[in-house]
Amino acid sequence: MNLIINNKSVDVTENQLNKKIIDFLREDLDLTGTKNGCNMGVCGTCTILADDVPVKACMKTTRDFVGKKILTIEGLQNSDGSLHPLQQSFIDAGAIQCGFCIPGMALTAHAFLLKNNKPTREQIRQAIRGNLCRCTGYQQIIDAIENAAKYY
């Protein structure tokens, strides 16, 4: 069995199919950008994309992603290894403090901006409402997403 993760085919054993996808990504593939915040699907820290749709990775098994295209924060960067404009926008806007929530926040924003590249601030707030941040107060995050929209 294999999965497509960050545009690469990854072989998966039967035992790995039964693991939570967050554990498979972090432990087996060393894709540690995906964080486990609450382990209950509430905080959004573990968000990855499956076919460009945000999914809480702490709540799903690897098996749930067979036939889907998975994107983690590591796969968001450009092919030359440089940061994606959204990632750079988070830096430029000062939207990264501790950084723990940012991978999930950025992937949620990426999925949102793929559908709406001219969002209002209120639409951005609604799009990220499932992602909790305890550091920034959200204004810088909203600024970052608003500024990144021009690249979509």
Side-chain angles (χ1 to χ4, degrees):
M1 181 83 38
N2 71 12
L3 298 176
I4 303 299
I5 301 174
N6 299 333
N7 293 316
K8 295 177 185 160
S9 181
V10 176
D11 291 326
V12 183
T13 67
E14 188 64 33
N15 286 342
Q16 291 169 321
L17 285 171
N18 295 322
K19 284 181 109 168
K20 284 187 179 183
I21 188 71
I22 190 167
D23 296 331
F24 175 68
L25 293 170
R26 292 180 60 81
E27 297 168 6
D28 298 359
L29 302 182
D30 201 30
L31 295 173
T32 58
T34 304
K35 308 289 190 250
N36 194 344
C38 68
N39 207 32
M40 299 185 321
V42 176
C43 71
T45 299
C46 67
T47 301
I48 59 173
L49 300 186
D51 295 334
D52 294 329
V53 175
V55 176
K56 308 286 174 65
C58 72
M59 300 300 295
K60 301 281 187 178
T61 65
T62 304
R63 183 180 309 281
D64 294 324
F65 295 89
V66 172
K68 297 185 185 310
K69 187 174 148 187
I70 298 170
L71 181 69
T72 70
I73 195 68
E74 293 89 349
L76 190 58
Q77 70 185 7
N78 294 314
S79 59
D80 66 1
S82 64
L83 293 178
H84 184 279
L86 177 63
Q87 292 169 305
Q88 188 62 53
S89 186
F90 269 76
I91 293 168
D92 294 345
I96 299 173
Q97 288 189 18
C98 86
F100 197 76
C101 71
I102 297 305
M105 190 79 70
L107 288 170
T108 298
H110 178 66
F112 169 67
L113 291 173
L114 287 172
K115 294 179 184 175
N116 182 354
N117 66 355
K118 294 187 184 346
T120 65
R121 290 180 72 81
E122 182 55 33
Q123 289 170 326
I124 294 169
R125 279 187 197 90
Q126 289 301 312
I128 63 170
R129 73 182 178 270
N131 295 78
L132 302 178
C133 176
R134 295 182 177 167
C135 297
T136 67
Y138 297 95
Q139 292 312 306
Q140 298 96 322
I141 292 170
I142 294 166
D143 293 344
I145 297 168
E146 185 177 52
N147 293 335
K150 64 185 167 209
Y151 297 102
Y152 282 81

